[in-house]
Amino acid sequence: MFNAISSGLGVGILPKFMVKDKCDLIEISLEDNPPPKPVYLVMHTDVRRSPRIRVVADYIIEIFERYRNSGW
């Protein structure tokens, strides 16, 4: 989605943390914020306890929790 929008293919909704350093994108103000969407992190049961997978999963969860209430 980010690549399509930044390539000029159209308008879309992106989290602010993805575009904060992208000067060529223009923010369009909306009267209302879009409704929140649930996000799921899915892992196969065979690998979800793998230390490498767990580190990545924990990092993804941390990013989403950090930006959840910051207006992204």
Side-chain angles (χ1 to χ4, degrees), residues 34-55:
K37 303 276 188 211
V39 176
Y40 300 94
L41 178 61
V42 180
M43 295 175 276
H44 194 279
T45 55
D46 292 346
V47 297
R48 72 176 185 200
R49 285 188 169 64
S50 163
R52 291 185 298 169
I53 302 297
R54 193 72 248 163
V55 166

Side-chain angles (χ1 to χ4, degrees), residues 14-49:
L14 296 172
K16 286 188 179 184
F17 74 86
M18 288 182 76
V19 298
K20 69 179 179 180
D21 298 326
K22 310 298 184 234
C23 300
D24 54 334
L25 295 178
I26 299 169
E27 182 175 352
I28 299 172
S29 297
L30 303 173
E31 288 184 19
D32 296 319
N33 288 328
K37 303 276 188 211
V39 176
Y40 300 94
L41 178 61
V42 180
M43 295 175 276
H44 194 279
T45 55
D46 292 346
V47 297
R48 72 176 185 200
R49 285 188 169 64

Side-chain angles (χ1 to χ4, degrees), residues 47-70:
V47 297
R48 72 176 185 200
R49 285 188 169 64
S50 163
R52 291 185 298 169
I53 302 297
R54 193 72 248 163
V55 166
V56 173
D58 289 344
Y59 180 70
I60 293 170
I61 292 167
E62 177 187 327
I63 289 172
F64 274 83
E65 287 178 346
R66 185 181 320 147
Y67 290 102
R68 176 178 25 194
N69 295 317
S70 66

